[in-house]
Amino acid sequence: MTNSINNILEAIDENWPQCANKVSPALLRLLRVSNLFDNKIEALVKSHNLQRSEFSALATLRRSPIPYCLSPTALYQSMIFSSGGLSKVLNRLNQAELIERVDNPEDKRSKLVQLTSKGKQLIEIVMPELHHKERKILSVLSPDEQQQLDSFMRRILEAHES
């Protein structure tokens, strides 16, 4: 048996009917699409010798104002893909010379995280590749359908994120 959502729903209906009317096909499909996209991201960042959390940190720094610099706390809070071990991520990025730790002018006891020119160059190569993959995944939907999908996802997130 394959793991298509239709097959999963059929198996639930046949083998666990008490659960069948409680399962949400839309959420199962959302999870499957999320996994599909996760796998594409994982393969892409790996091809650039990055881990997902490293990619997320670089992308977060790049979308910050020049000089692409944040405190570790602000960086962590702004990352789309969170990382439980941010210190390790920052150490790897620092060793690869993709970021540097700079003095915090507001607090001499702490360091800020700043994107290096090498890090900026790398993330500016990776991001267009990611956008191409996103467009390819979503190409089965019309622009109006993509906008509807975004609207639905936004409503769900707004209702459940603090």
Side-chain angles (χ1 to χ4, degrees), residues 1-15 28-29 32:
M1 176 185 284
T2 65
N3 283 333
S4 80
I5 297 302
N6 291 340
N7 289 344
I8 291 169
L9 292 170
E10 283 177 21
I12 290 171
D13 197 37
E14 290 174 18
N15 302 306
L28 288 177
R29 288 185 175 92
R32 183 57 61 98

Coordinates of all heavy atoms in Angstrom, one line a residue, residues 1-15 28-29 32:
M1 N 0.8 -1.2 0.0 CA 0.0 0.0 0.0 C 0.9 1.2 0.0 O 1.8 1.3 0.8 CB -0.9 0.0 1.2 CG -1.7 1.3 1.4 SD -2.7 1.3 2.9 CE -4.0 0.2 2.5
T2 N 0.6 2.2 -0.9 CA 1.3 3.4 -0.9 C 0.8 4.3 0.2 O -0.2 4.1 0.9 CB 1.2 4.2 -2.2 OG1 -0.2 4.5 -2.4 CG2 1.6 3.3 -3.4
N3 N 1.6 5.4 0.5 CA 1.2 6.3 1.5 C 0.4 7.5 1.0 O 0.5 8.6 1.6 CB 2.5 6.8 2.3 CG 3.0 5.7 3.2 OD1 2.2 4.9 3.7 ND2 4.2 5.7 3.5
S4 N -0.3 7.4 -0.1 CA -1.0 8.6 -0.6 C -2.1 8.8 0.4 O -2.6 7.9 1.1 CB -1.6 8.3 -2.0 OG -2.8 7.5 -1.9
I5 N -2.5 10.1 0.5 CA -3.5 10.5 1.5 C -4.9 9.7 1.2 O -5.5 9.3 2.2 CB -3.8 12.0 1.5 CG1 -2.5 12.7 1.9 CG2 -4.9 12.4 2.4 CD1 -1.9 12.3 3.3
N6 N -5.2 9.5 -0.1 CA -6.4 8.8 -0.4 C -6.3 7.4 0.2 O -7.3 6.9 0.7 CB -6.7 8.8 -1.9 CG -7.0 10.1 -2.4 OD1 -7.5 11.0 -1.7 ND2 -6.9 10.3 -3.7
N7 N -5.2 6.7 0.0 CA -5.0 5.4 0.6 C -5.1 5.3 2.1 O -5.7 4.4 2.7 CB -3.7 4.7 0.1 CG -3.8 4.4 -1.4 OD1 -4.8 4.3 -2.0 ND2 -2.6 4.2 -2.0
I8 N -4.5 6.4 2.7 CA -4.6 6.5 4.2 C -6.0 6.6 4.6 O -6.5 5.9 5.6 CB -3.7 7.6 4.7 CG1 -2.2 7.3 4.5 CG2 -4.0 7.9 6.1 CD1 -1.2 8.4 4.7
L9 N -6.7 7.5 4.0 CA -8.1 7.7 4.3 C -9.0 6.5 4.1 O -9.8 6.1 4.9 CB -8.7 8.9 3.5 CG -8.1 10.3 3.9 CD1 -8.6 11.3 2.9 CD2 -8.5 10.7 5.3
E10 N -8.7 5.7 3.0 CA -9.4 4.5 2.8 C -9.1 3.5 3.9 O -10.0 2.8 4.3 CB -9.0 3.9 1.4 CG -9.7 4.6 0.2 CD -9.2 4.0 -1.1 OE1 -8.7 2.9 -1.1 OE2 -9.3 4.7 -2.1
A11 N -7.9 3.4 4.2 CA -7.5 2.4 5.3 C -8.1 2.7 6.6 O -8.6 1.8 7.3 CB -5.9 2.4 5.4
I12 N -8.2 4.0 6.9 CA -8.8 4.4 8.2 C -10.3 4.1 8.1 O -10.9 3.5 9.1 CB -8.7 6.0 8.4 CG1 -7.2 6.3 8.8 CG2 -9.6 6.4 9.5 CD1 -6.9 7.7 8.8
D13 N -10.9 4.4 7.0 CA -12.4 4.1 6.8 C -12.7 2.6 6.9 O -13.6 2.2 7.6 CB -12.8 4.6 5.4 CG -14.3 4.8 5.3 OD1 -14.9 5.1 6.4 OD2 -14.9 4.5 4.2
E14 N -11.8 1.8 6.3 CA -12.0 0.3 6.4 C -11.7 -0.3 7.7 O -12.3 -1.2 8.2 CB -11.2 -0.3 5.3 CG -11.7 -0.1 3.9 CD -10.8 -0.6 2.8 OE1 -10.0 -1.5 3.1 OE2 -10.9 -0.2 1.7
N15 N -10.6 0.1 8.3 CA -10.0 -0.6 9.5 C -10.2 0.2 10.8 O -9.9 -0.4 11.8 CB -8.5 -0.8 9.2 CG -8.3 -1.6 8.0 OD1 -8.8 -2.6 7.8 ND2 -7.5 -1.0 7.1
L28 N -4.3 16.3 6.8 CA -3.4 15.3 6.3 C -2.7 15.7 5.0 O -1.5 15.5 4.9 CB -4.2 14.0 6.1 CG -4.7 13.2 7.3 CD1 -5.4 12.0 6.9 CD2 -3.5 12.9 8.2
R29 N -3.5 16.3 4.1 CA -2.9 16.8 2.9 C -1.9 18.0 3.1 O -0.8 18.0 2.5 CB -4.0 17.2 1.9 CG -4.7 16.0 1.3 CD -5.7 16.4 0.2 NE -6.2 15.2 -0.3 CZ -7.4 14.6 0.1 NH1 -8.1 15.1 1.1 NH2 -7.8 13.5 -0.5
R32 N 1.3 16.5 4.3 CA 2.0 15.8 3.2 C 2.7 16.9 2.3 O 3.8 16.7 1.9 CB 1.0 15.0 2.4 CG 1.7 14.2 1.2 CD 2.8 13.3 1.7 NE 2.4 12.3 2.6 CZ 2.1 11.0 2.4 NH1 2.2 10.6 1.1 NH2 1.7 10.2 3.3

